[in-house]
Every structure is written in C-alpha cells, then in structure tokens.
Amino acid sequence: MQNSKGTMPSATIRNITDFLNKTLRVRKIKDASMNGLQVRSRKGGAIRTVGFGVDACISTFEKAKKLGVDILVVHHGIKWRPQKDRDLENKRAVYLTKNNIALYAAHLPLDLHSEYGNNIQLCRLLDVQGPRKFGKYHGIKIGYAGTFRKAIRMDAAASIVSEALNVDCRVYRFGNDRIRSIGIISGGGGSILKDAVIEKLDCFLVGEIDLAVYNAAKEYGMNLLVAGHYATETVGVRALMPLVRDAFGIETVFIEDPKDL
C-alpha cells in the first residue's frame, strides 16, 4: 500500500490502528468488545514487529515479548461491555504497559469480514461454493453458508479441517453421513444452531458447543463438526498478517498459544 506520494506509510501505532479500523470497519459494527486500540505503548517511533494472536492473555503476552512484538493484534481483547473481571483486565494491561507492548482487538468485525474474517476463511479452507451470509448474532449475520462441489462424508470434511487447523475436529453424526450444504460459525457460535436447522443445511461447523446445543442438534437431526474455539479463530488473524506486512513493509509473526477448547 502506498500513500498519495507513492511511498509506504510509516509503521506507527496510529497508522496501523487507523489502517485496521478502516479495513475491518470496527466503528460501524456493534459489539460487546471495545474494538480498536485497547492498550497504548510508549513507542514513539516506527514499529518493527506486529504480532497476531487469538487471545489477549498473559501466556500470549509472554510469547509476544520474547519475539520482540511492538503491537499485538488479537481477536479476543481485554476490554468488554460490560467488563466482568476488572482485576484481570488491569493485570493484563499492566503487563503490556510494563513491557511496552500495544494491544489492538477486533472481535465481531473479524468474525464477519467478507475477505479476512474467520468464517469466510473457513469456507475457503473447505472450498465451500457460493458462500452467503448466515447466522444472526445480536441481529447481525456473522457466518457463512454454502455448498460443497459434490456431497462428501462427514469424516472427509472433518479431516480437511483437522489437518488445516492442526486440531482434532469432532464429528457428531445426527443426520445423513454424506453432506452437501454447510453453515459455519467460528468460536462459540453454538447458539446459532437453529439458523442451520431453519435453512435445512446438512451440517453445522462451529468452534465449541455446550450440552444444550448437543442435545438440540441431536433432536433436530443436525450434523455437527466441532473444531475448537481457539483453532477456528486463528484463521482470521492469520489472514491479516500479509495485509499488514505488505502495507507497511514490516515483520509480522503469529503467536502460537493453543487451547483444547
């Protein structure tokens, strides 16, 4: 990306933040997460390394510090409305400030983005055809639904996901084993199960489910692929990496901090 003078913009925290805000339309999407720059740093000059991760937690911060990250871009930030644990928020903010790491968060704007979002990335991973907006969350469709080129078995779809995300994708066969249509909601999207039922999809891919969603899917006869909350939300932040790298000519790194959830 070049500015009007034909040169790359300087890699400052402000410029990177403005770039991500505009790309992800964070100011136009209502969310419990206070998206955008959540923790500032004392760095006044150019940023050298931008880190990308899923969770704003101490274990991720420690790894970011070792990698020399100047600003960390995450899916799950530390500031929410309402804030349920102010002590934990403060502890995390203090760690970041002490180690001079800025924090940027994008929650729903990254789930639903049509180019870099978690759900469209999962569609591409599975080569889903004709992806369309699917699954309302607080009045906004945040997922995608579409079809496979031809019907495939549940195990085959699960294998693709498992290999790509390095996770053990769980299979719940509550419908026909061969599937043609699928709805996709990353992370904790189990509550959107009914949308998949209403649209008469063959399968619903989600990050995690609870017991109520399991029972409902079984009674509705809806197949489930459950690939992990963390794993299904690595794809969006990863998709942003080359975008930021090329826009500012800086190093980008992914912070591996997996969870069995």
Side-chain angles (χ1 to χ4, degrees):
M1 181 186 77
Q2 296 183 337
N3 57 28
S4 59
K5 297 180 180 180
T7 59
M8 281 187 175
S10 57
T12 63
I13 290 176
R14 179 175 180 177
N15 284 347
I16 293 170
T17 295
D18 289 346
F19 176 75
L20 289 172
N21 284 346
K22 182 178 180 180
T23 300
L24 300 175
R25 301 171 58 245
V26 299
R27 303 303 178 212
K28 297 183 178 181
I29 299 170
K30 293 183 179 180
D31 196 354
S33 171
M34 297 172 66
N35 298 311
L37 188 64
Q38 294 191 340
V39 177
R40 300 178 182 275
S41 77
R42 301 184 302 276
K43 290 186 181 295
I47 298 301
R48 295 182 178 180
T49 305
V50 181
F52 292 79
V54 176
D55 303 310
C57 58
I58 298 296
S59 56
T60 297
F61 300 162
E62 290 172 341
K63 294 176 180 180
K65 178 183 176 181
K66 291 180 180 179
L67 291 170
V69 167
D70 299 309
I71 178 171
L72 178 63
V73 177
V74 298
H75 184 51
H76 302 130
I78 65 172
K79 295 181 180 291
W80 302 83
R81 306 182 188 92
Q83 182 60 271
K84 296 181 179 180
D85 194 331
R86 190 70 64 182
D87 291 338
L88 199 54
E89 176 197 345
N90 291 338
K91 177 183 178 182
R92 291 167 172 170
V94 166
Y95 184 96
L96 291 168
T97 301
K98 180 180 178 181
N99 290 284
N100 212 17
I101 301 172
L103 179 70
Y104 181 96
H107 186 232
L108 290 186
L110 189 56
D111 281 319
L112 58 80
H113 198 276
S114 60
E115 180 65 25
Y116 306 107
N118 290 314
N119 295 310
I120 194 66
Q121 291 295 319
L122 291 169
C123 281
R124 291 170 181 167
L125 185 157
L126 284 165
D127 194 25
V128 171
Q129 304 297 296
R132 66 182 187 277
K133 284 289 187 179
F134 157 80
K136 282 189 177 181
Y137 180 77
H138 292 246
I140 306 173
K141 287 188 176 181
I142 65 171
Y144 282 89
T147 59
F148 297 102
R149 292 181 185 275
K150 60 181 181 180
I152 65 172
R153 295 190 180 280
M154 288 282 288
D155 281 344
S159 293
I160 295 171
V161 175
S162 294
E163 183 174 354
L165 301 183
N166 191 28
V167 69
D168 183 14
C169 180
R170 287 176 288 161
V171 176
Y172 297 99
R173 294 180 186 80
F174 296 140
N176 292 329
D177 184 52
R178 295 185 69 83
I179 57 175
R180 183 72 189 276
S181 59
I182 189 170
I184 298 174
I185 302 285
S186 65
S191 62
I192 303 176
L193 169 73
K194 190 66 179 290
D195 289 41
V197 174
I198 291 172
E199 295 200 21
K200 298 181 179 180
L201 300 176
D202 297 329
C203 182
F204 183 36
L205 168 63
V206 69
E208 67 173 309
I209 61 171
D210 59 18
L211 183 59
V213 171
Y214 173 93
N215 287 330
K218 186 175 183 179
E219 292 176 30
Y220 279 126
M222 174 59 62
N223 286 316
L224 293 176
L225 294 174
V226 182
H229 195 140
Y230 173 86
T232 57
E233 296 189 329
T234 59
V235 290
V237 286
R238 282 187 180 276
L240 289 176
M241 291 174 61
L243 180 71
V244 172
R245 181 194 64 218
D246 294 345
F248 294 95
I250 55 178
E251 182 182 2
T252 57
V253 294
F254 181 72
I255 313 298
E256 296 275 6
D257 193 19
K259 288 90 179 176
D260 294 328
L261 295 171

